[in-house]
Amino acid sequence: MSMRERIYQIVEQKNHDRLVSSNYDMLMLFAIAIGIIPLMFREHYRLFWFFDLFSGICFIVDYIFRWVIADYDSKRKGWRVFVIYPFTPMAIIDLLSILPVFNLLGPTFKVFRVSRLLKILRIFKVIRYFEPLEIIIAVARKQSRILMTVFSLAIFYIFITALIMFNAEEQIDPATGKYLFIDFFDAFYWAACTLTTVGYGDLYPITDTGRVISIISSIVGIAIIALPSGIVTAGYMDELKNRKEEKEQLKDDGNTPEDC
């Protein structure tokens, strides 16, 4: 087995049944966690410097590993794979997550202080190492057309409701002496909050007509918001079933005649 094949077995998520691969995922999750902890504090403690150093080293090693094995899961072959890899979405996130490490090198790199904000991107790296999130992303990709249809329906309904409410609520609010919806964006914001049943309460209808529209919008909103939840849940269960069958198939294929 070559070194690149060994790295692929360790880094690739499909090898969760392997102890080394599982430990590698846990290590990376730990590196992500301690890399995000400093963002929860205004003060910068000395311990955070070691957190950044440790997580930065892990991210650099992981980035190199994934670049070295870029051709394993790619449809393309040859040297072009390694040229294209740094420009793929997850590789860009990996690279931006590494930039905060430059803050540790000294005053010369103070220009990279803004990269502290890039630490927030490290949370997206969890997708690679936390299987439930990876499954949800896979489900979203497979059901993208249906989810986009539901999303388009929701945006259309919000627009129509906002348009109706904007023209229905034409009275002056006695509390402020102004229109309830000063512009269409206020009505769109109200319609989005009502559809999702959030209801912040900063904007609410004051006429009977507006209240009837609000009731209808809330009822319809419950149905529209429930649609993607059911789609994702069904897709999640199917994906779990498929992955379980794949693992069992791989396990059966790995049995030799001597093992039987």
Side-chain angles (χ1 to χ4, degrees):
M1 180 184 298
S2 66
M3 179 62 69
R4 290 207 314 134
E5 290 176 345
R6 181 57 178 164
I7 292 175
Y8 178 77
Q9 287 186 349
I10 295 174
V11 173
E12 177 57 40
Q13 279 189 323
K14 294 177 182 178
N15 295 282
H16 275 299
D17 56 324
R18 296 177 181 272
L19 180 61
V20 177
S21 180
S22 298
N23 289 338
Y24 181 84
D25 289 351
M26 293 299 296
L27 175 64
M28 292 305 302
L29 285 172
F30 178 72
I32 293 170
I34 65 172
I36 294 174
I37 287 176
L39 296 177
M40 302 176 185
F41 297 85
R42 294 294 184 188
E43 300 82 5
H44 186 77
Y45 299 101
R46 179 63 177 173
L47 182 61
F48 293 164
W49 186 91
F50 295 101
F51 284 179
D52 285 339
L53 180 62
F54 177 79
S55 61
I57 293 174
C58 290
F59 295 154
I60 291 173
V61 172
D62 183 69
Y63 184 84
I64 295 173
F65 279 175
R66 293 186 180 278
W67 198 350
V68 168
I69 62 172
D71 59 326
Y72 275 74
D73 283 331
S74 177
K75 296 180 180 179
R76 300 182 179 88
K77 299 299 178 183
W79 58 270
R80 293 182 182 85
V81 179
F82 302 99
V83 175
I84 295 173
Y85 176 77
F87 302 99
T88 57
M90 284 305 299
I92 292 174
I93 291 177
D94 290 342
L95 183 60
L96 293 177
S97 300
I98 293 172
L99 287 181
V101 178
F102 287 99
N103 287 333
L104 307 176
L105 302 182
T108 307
F109 295 92
K110 289 300 181 182
V111 67
F112 290 102
R113 183 171 294 278
V114 69
S115 65
R116 170 180 166 84
L117 298 177
L118 298 177
K119 290 181 181 180
I120 299 175
L121 291 176
R122 294 176 177 178
I123 197 67
F124 292 102
K125 291 172 67 67
V126 175
I127 297 173
R128 275 196 177 126
Y129 312 103
F130 191 50
E131 190 174 14
L133 282 179
E134 185 207 354
I135 294 176
I136 291 178
I137 296 298
V139 171
R141 287 175 178 172
K142 291 181 179 179
Q143 305 292 339
S144 58
R145 294 185 64 180
I146 299 177
L147 291 175
M148 282 303 299
T149 301
V150 175
F151 178 75
S152 301
L153 174 64
I155 294 297
F156 177 75
Y157 185 78
I158 290 172
F159 177 81
I160 294 299
T161 306
L163 194 62
I164 295 174
M165 182 64 79
F166 184 70
N167 289 276
E169 284 288 334
E170 294 184 322
Q171 296 187 15
I172 301 296
D173 187 351
T176 61
K178 300 179 181 179
Y179 288 111
L180 175 64
F181 302 116
I182 298 176
D183 51 33
F184 184 74
F185 178 78
D186 285 344
F188 193 88
Y189 164 77
W190 169 87
C193 292
T194 304
L195 179 71
T196 56
T197 66
V198 173
Y200 289 117
D202 52 344
L203 291 175
Y204 52 88
I206 58 177
T207 65
D208 292 338
T209 302
R211 289 171 179 171
V212 171
I213 296 172
S214 179
I215 292 172
I216 296 174
S217 179
S218 299
I219 294 174
V220 175
I222 295 174
I224 294 178
I225 294 301
L227 283 175
S229 301
I231 294 170
V232 172
T233 301
Y236 191 90
M237 298 304 296
D238 290 340
E239 186 70 15
L240 281 177
K241 181 180 178 181
N242 293 336
R243 292 189 176 216
K244 183 178 180 180
E245 291 176 353
E246 288 178 1
K247 288 182 179 180
E248 291 177 352
Q249 183 64 38
L250 289 172
K251 191 176 296 184
D252 293 340
D253 293 343
N255 291 332
T256 62
E258 289 78 6
D259 296 329
C260 297

